């Protein structure tokens, strides 16, 4: 009996018959892994998606298993290694999904109808095939604290357009309020990713930018070198909050910005680290969004963004049609509208009306049309990992920009 | 001759009995310990990603030797071995004071043990706040005129900070083991030392340490194993392996490669290396301490 119970307990969603059409009808349950469904702000979104799916497939139950985010890819890696696990799973766009594309089902033929309605597909594609449907858009707008601008005698309605204007503004703010220029959390090595993507469009020319995204990356080019020099200079000149290498990104650094200890932060636009999070201390009308200051002539600043998070279907699922349909429900306009309304996330659905959400959202939404993919998302997880450590070395002075770029180029070639 | 039959059977049964009795334990050890270990070692000779499952020979081990991050992790193991005597001496000395009944020794006993019941995650979170760049400790240092120290952000300091917190959080258990060792100590030896007018230092050196050799051995080995295998939680919460990878330990490296970098075979190779390191360090310690014990 114990054995029977154990077997029942260990059963997974993919336990029923063969993958024929008939078997799919018999399939009673789909299991979804993510790190969102347990969060209160996502509750309405998940409910909407479930209801949409239940309307179309009344006999099928869907079970959401919310995993802790910091363990998510470890658990998923184990499931992939074992060749069994959930039918549908959530991914971050970029390296995380591309590294695991071999375990996923290409979704192109299922999501053809959604292609024009949703944005951000590139972050979930590899070798021309789509592996997940985007739920949110993730980007790196530069937020600034309008109250600090006012206190320093700057006009909050016209943020600086060039790097020299930006630096003189920061100096004025420092003098008047004592606040740092940038809120930077680089404990996990994420700070450099935000910096590279947030400021990159003001440094690289459009051609260099497009080449980078297309995989033709010249790490020795003056533009790329300039970005890393800016990173080092910002640290050396005290533009960042103190102790950036020991300040955690998601738990600490947003608080530094919210509480007025820094004037700018390169934040996010999905469901955390953005205006909706900041509003506890900083009212929406005091939060501005600016474009990257122009550092080199010929650069045309734009919003860096990609698909943020998206749901994918496991290769091993016994009911691919059903699972893909669940992904479609999870990216339906109704569900995504609920996610936007509750979490403040910029959803991937371009048909949602965001005009009521305040000036910061309006600025971001207007920049989506002209925006380009973020620079760091094009890099492999391995190179991002190396970049994180090198960025800490640059801040502490234990390596030079040239040496760091050599190592990054080597890692990028391999990875 | 008729009597010989049963007696031979009986002798054979008696000869076989120990094997039969030991068999279940051996089977469990082989099936649940050695077999998975062998599987793990075998897996470390296969590839990751597109080469998943394909034999690649010693490629993973070669990659490990060339990976600066893994070299830092091994160097930090060396650092832990160097810091080990300190991690054993602290609970040993405090236990001695408690045994010698310093005023308030009952209070100290519970105070010292208290952190041992806290989870490393809680301990890490508390010390993250305390040691933050703008945290209370640096404010205190500032008030005393000393400059702030980036306890968790300076690559030269972070590892010592984390080890210090680990020792703070775990020495209570070693203290209890020492106190148990003291309960077997022959009190007449201490009385004799006292009558002869021996100082506290001499009493500790000539009476207490020789009498507690076995306890000290035990604490040495368990503390070392604890440092190598139980610091993950603290590292995860306090430094995430940083800054600059300076606080990596093999265990954290294994987790990082397996979960974050999607390299399970490389992680298996690293675990095999960690296993061998633990075995060698453990055996060396036991041999050294046994020799030291004999001399006394």
């Amino acid at each position: 009996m114990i054995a029977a119970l154990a077997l029942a307990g260990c059963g997974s969603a993919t336990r029923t018959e063969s993958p024929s059409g008939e078997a799919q009808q018999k399939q009673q349950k789909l299991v979804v892994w993510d790190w969102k469904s347990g969060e209160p702000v996502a509750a309405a979104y998940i409910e909407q998606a479930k209801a949409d799916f239940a309307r179309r497939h009344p006999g099928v139950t869907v079970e959401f298993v919310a995993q802790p985010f910091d363990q998510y890819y470890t658990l998923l890696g184990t499931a992939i290694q074992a060749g069994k696990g959930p039918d549908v799973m959530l991914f971050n766009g970029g390296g995380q999904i591309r590294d695991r594309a071999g375990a996923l089902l290409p979704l192109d033929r299922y999501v053809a109808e959604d292609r024009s309605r949703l944005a951000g597909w590139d972050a979930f594609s590899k070798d021309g095939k789509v592996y997940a449907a985007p739920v949110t858009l993730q980007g790196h707008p530069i937020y600034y604290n309008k109250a600090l601008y006012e206190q320093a005698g700057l006009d909050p309605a016209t943020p600086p357009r060039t790097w020299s204007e930006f630096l003189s503004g920061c100096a004025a703010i420092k003098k008047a309020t004592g606040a740092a220029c940038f809120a930077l959390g680089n404990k996990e090595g994420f700070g450099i990713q935000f910096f590279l993507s947030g400021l990159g469009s003001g440094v690289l020319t459009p051609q260099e930018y497009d080449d980078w995204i297309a995989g033709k990356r010249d790490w020795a080019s003056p533009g790329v070198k300039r970005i890393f020099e800016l990173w080092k200079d910002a640290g050396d000149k005290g533009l960042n909050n103190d102790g950036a290498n020991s300040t955690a990104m998601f738990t600490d650094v947003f608080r530094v910005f919210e509480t007025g200890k820094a004037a700018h932060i390169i934040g996010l636009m999905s469901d955390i680290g953005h205006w909706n999070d900041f509003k506890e201390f900083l009212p929406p009308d005091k939060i501005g969004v600016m474009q990257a200051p122009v550092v080199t002539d010929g650069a045309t600043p734009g919003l860096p963004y990609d698909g943020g998070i998206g749901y994918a279907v496991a290769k091993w699922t016994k009911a691919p049609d059903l699972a893909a349909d669940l992904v479609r429900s999870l990216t339906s306009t109704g569900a995504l509208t609920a996610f936007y309304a509750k979490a403040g996330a910029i959803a991937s659905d371009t048909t949602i009306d965001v005009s009521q959400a305040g000036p910061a959202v309006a600025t971001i939404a207007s920049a989506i049309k002209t925006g380009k993919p973020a620079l760091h998302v094009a890099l492999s997880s391995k190179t991002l990992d190396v970049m994180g450590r090198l960025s800490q070395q640059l801040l502490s002075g234990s390596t030079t920009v040239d040496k760091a770029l050599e190592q990054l180029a080597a890692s990028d070639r391999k990875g | 001759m008729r009597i010989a039959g049963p007696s031979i059977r009986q002798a054979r049964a008696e000869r076989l009995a120990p094997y039969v009795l030991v068999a279940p334990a051996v089977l469990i050890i082989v099936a649940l310990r050695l077999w998975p270990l062998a599987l793990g070692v075998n897996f470390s000779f296969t590839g990751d990603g597109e080469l998943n499952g394909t034999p690649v020979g010693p490629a993973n081990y070669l990659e490990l030797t060339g990976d600066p991050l893994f070299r830092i992790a091994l160097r930090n193991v060396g650092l832990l071995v160097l810091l080990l005597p300190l991690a054993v001496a602290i609970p040993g000395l405090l236990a001695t004071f408690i045994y010698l009944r310093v005023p308030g020794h009952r209070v100290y006993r519970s105070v010292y043990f208290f952190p041992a019941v806290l989870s490393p995650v809680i301990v890490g979170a508390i010390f993250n706040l305390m040691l933050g760049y703008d945290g209370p400790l640096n404010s205190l240092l500032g008030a005393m005129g000393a400059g702030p120290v980036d306890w968790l952000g300076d690559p030269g300091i972070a590892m010592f900070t984390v080890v210090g917190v680990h020792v703070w959080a775990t020495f209570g258990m070693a203290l209890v083991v020492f106190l148990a060792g003291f309960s077997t100590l022959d009190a007449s030896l201490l009385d004799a030392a006292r009558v002869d007018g021996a100082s506290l230092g001499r009493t500790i050196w000539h009476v207490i340490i020789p009498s507690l050799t076995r306890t000290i051995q035990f604490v040495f080995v368990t503390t070392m194993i604890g440092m190598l295998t139980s610091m993950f939680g603290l590292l995860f919460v306090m430094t995430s392996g940083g800054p600059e990878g300076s606080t990596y330990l093999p265990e954290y490296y294994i987790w990082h490669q397996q979960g974050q970098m999607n390299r399970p075979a490389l992680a298996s190779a690293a675990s095999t290396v960690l296993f061998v390191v633990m075995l060698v360090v453990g055996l060396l310690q036991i041999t050294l301490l046994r020799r030291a014990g004999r001399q006394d």
Side-chain angles (χ1 to χ4, degrees):
Chain A
M1 172 163 172
I2 290 168
L5 279 176
L7 277 176
C10 293
S12 82
T14 53
R15 69 192 70 93
T16 42
E17 291 82 285
S18 64
S20 67
E22 201 180 319
Q24 288 194 23
Q25 290 306 314
K26 286 183 190 167
Q27 169 99 22
Q28 291 304 299
K29 193 172 170 191
L30 287 171
V31 170
V32 185
W33 277 14
D34 61 17
W35 61 89
K36 279 284 159 229
S37 55
E39 294 174 11
V41 288
Y45 160 62
I46 298 291
E47 278 315 308
Q48 280 278 345
K50 270 183 166 173
D52 183 71
F53 186 72
R55 234 185 343 265
R56 290 186 289 136
H57 304 281
V60 183
T61 39
V62 180
E63 185 193 347
F64 280 83
V65 182
Q67 310 278 15
F69 179 63
D70 49 14
Q71 292 297 314
Y72 186 74
Y73 288 106
T74 310
L75 295 168
L76 200 58
T78 313
I80 288 172
Q81 205 58 40
K84 37 177 116 157
D87 302 84
V88 173
M89 51 200 139
L90 188 62
F91 274 102
N92 290 99
Q96 294 291 15
I97 189 165
R98 289 196 189 110
D99 289 354
R100 296 167 176 86
L104 304 175
L105 189 75
L107 294 180
D108 300 80
R109 70 187 178 93
Y110 301 104
V111 296
E113 275 178 49
D114 302 329
R115 287 306 290 255
S116 58
R117 181 175 56 90
L118 303 177
W121 293 97
D122 285 352
F124 301 105
S125 305
K126 188 183 179 184
D127 302 332
K129 284 183 188 158
V130 166
Y131 289 95
V135 171
T136 59
L137 297 180
Q138 184 61 286
H140 301 274
I142 305 170
Y143 296 98
Y144 63 97
N145 184 332
K146 290 184 174 176
L148 291 179
Y149 268 60
E150 282 162 14
Q151 284 173 44
L154 303 168
D155 178 9
T158 52
R161 287 174 181 277
T162 65
W163 186 247
S164 56
E165 279 177 31
F166 181 77
L167 287 181
S168 61
C170 280
I173 290 168
K174 179 92 183 172
K175 200 172 169 197
T177 68
C181 184
F182 280 118
L184 176 68
N186 200 40
K187 178 179 171 179
E188 308 88 347
F190 297 158
I192 183 75
Q193 299 177 18
F194 284 45
F195 191 89
L196 171 69
S197 288
L199 298 178
S201 66
V203 184
L204 302 183
T205 62
Q207 185 60 47
E208 281 178 311
Y209 200 106
D210 293 343
D211 284 350
W212 174 288
I213 300 297
K216 289 180 271 178
R217 287 183 279 277
D218 180 6
W219 289 89
S221 76
V224 174
K225 191 174 173 185
R226 189 81 186 100
I227 298 177
F228 286 85
E229 281 170 352
L230 287 180
W231 167 264
K232 187 169 165 49
D233 281 355
D236 291 349
K237 289 181 181 155
L239 299 187
N240 304 322
N241 50 287
D242 291 329
N245 273 349
S246 55
T247 306
M249 173 66 80
F250 292 102
T251 47
D252 297 342
V253 80
F254 292 116
R255 198 48 62 100
V256 170
F257 177 70
E258 281 165 33
T259 51
K261 289 179 187 158
H264 306 89
I265 191 167
I266 304 172
L268 296 170
M269 55 190 243
S270 69
D271 55 326
I272 46 163
H274 64 352
W275 69 93
N276 202 45
D277 262 7
F278 301 151
K279 73 181 179 194
E280 187 184 347
F281 294 99
L282 210 52
D285 63 318
K286 293 292 175 201
I287 303 168
V289 176
M290 60 186 275
Q291 293 212 314
V294 174
V295 181
T296 48
D297 294 338
T300 48
L303 178 71
Y305 79 94
D306 295 89
I309 53 173
Y311 283 97
V313 174
K315 208 177 195 176
W316 57 72
T317 183
K318 297 224 169 120
D321 294 351
L322 272 182
D325 229 24
L326 178 58
V327 170
R328 294 198 65 206
S329 291
L330 283 160
T331 49
S332 62
T333 301
L336 293 180
T337 306
F339 199 25
Y340 152 72
K342 287 283 177 195
I346 298 281
S348 59
D349 193 326
T350 50
T351 63
I352 296 175
D353 176 21
V354 295
S355 55
Q356 302 302 311
V361 183
T363 313
I364 293 171
S366 68
I368 283 178
K369 275 204 181 84
T370 54
K372 287 182 179 178
L375 294 173
H376 78 270
V377 179
L379 302 175
S380 70
S381 316
K382 173 81 184 158
T383 303
L384 289 175
D385 190 50
V386 172
M387 188 165 78
R389 273 195 302 283
L390 288 171
S391 71
Q392 293 173 338
Q393 292 183 352
L394 285 170
L395 284 188
S396 68
S398 56
T399 194
T400 63
V401 171
D402 287 330
K403 281 184 192 164
L405 288 175
E406 270 171 36
Q407 288 188 53
L408 284 167
S411 169
D412 195 26
R413 269 197 302 278
K414 267 194 226 162
Chain B
M1 288 303 278
R2 242 188 264 163
I3 303 158
S7 80
I8 286 172
R9 255 206 312 274
Q10 213 170 344
R12 192 181 296 153
E14 259 176 40
R15 245 192 354 260
L16 286 177
Y19 298 105
V20 173
L21 291 172
V22 167
V26 171
L27 280 178
I28 287 172
I29 289 171
V30 170
L32 298 180
R33 296 281 166 129
L34 298 181
W35 179 237
L37 188 71
L39 283 181
V41 174
N42 182 43
F43 188 57
S44 72
F45 291 101
T46 63
D48 282 312
E50 284 163 10
L51 293 172
N52 187 13
T54 323
V56 292
N60 287 325
Y61 291 92
L62 291 176
E63 188 175 343
L64 283 182
T65 51
D67 187 347
L69 205 54
F70 190 66
R71 284 210 292 270
I72 293 176
L74 286 185
R75 201 188 61 205
N76 280 339
V77 169
L79 184 72
L80 290 185
V81 174
L82 290 179
L83 292 174
L84 186 63
L86 201 68
V88 175
I90 291 171
L93 267 181
L94 294 174
T96 309
F97 292 142
I98 290 174
Y99 178 72
L100 296 175
R101 292 170 202 282
V102 290
H105 60 94
R106 281 177 211 282
V107 181
Y108 289 130
R109 194 163 48 188
S110 49
V111 167
Y112 292 152
F113 186 72
F114 175 65
V117 301
L118 292 176
S119 127
V121 177
I122 307 292
V123 173
I126 293 170
F127 276 90
N128 266 355
L129 291 174
M130 300 266 291
L131 301 171
Y133 197 85
D134 51 359
L137 186 63
N138 274 341
S139 305
L140 194 72
L141 284 177
M144 285 169 16
V149 177
D150 200 356
W151 298 102
L152 298 167
D154 185 328
I157 298 174
M159 191 65 199
F160 292 97
T161 309
V162 180
V163 173
V165 173
H166 176 78
V167 171
W168 177 88
T170 55
F171 81 77
M173 208 49 97
L175 185 98
V176 170
V177 176
F178 271 118
L179 288 176
F182 274 116
S183 67
T184 64
L185 194 74
D186 188 352
S188 61
L189 286 175
L190 277 181
D191 290 339
R194 212 167 284 153
V195 168
D196 289 343
S199 67
L200 177 68
R202 283 184 170 276
T203 313
I204 292 175
W205 188 249
H206 291 290
V207 181
I208 292 178
I209 291 182
S211 314
L212 290 184
T213 319
R214 287 200 162 273
T215 312
I216 294 171
Q217 259 180 37
F218 180 77
V219 173
F220 249 95
V221 175
T222 49
T223 307
M224 186 72 228
I225 292 173
M227 275 181 152
L228 285 180
T229 61
S230 315
M231 277 180 61
F232 180 85
L234 270 188
L235 286 177
F236 186 80
V237 175
M238 292 184 73
T239 64
S240 310
E244 306 176 21
S246 63
T247 56
Y248 262 81
L249 280 177
E251 198 195 16
Y252 193 84
Y253 180 88
I254 292 162
W255 172 82
H256 185 70
Q257 293 298 342
Q258 202 276 328
Q260 309 298 298
M261 296 285 112
N262 204 19
R263 304 282 315 267
L266 186 69
S268 285
S271 345
T272 310
V273 174
L274 177 62
F275 172 69
V276 173
V277 167
M278 301 266 289
L279 208 63
V280 170
V281 171
L283 288 176
L284 271 181
Q285 277 175 348
I286 291 173
T287 319
L288 281 177
L289 290 167
R290 198 170 280 163
R291 204 170 291 163
R294 255 189 234 130
Q295 276 167 3
D296 279 313

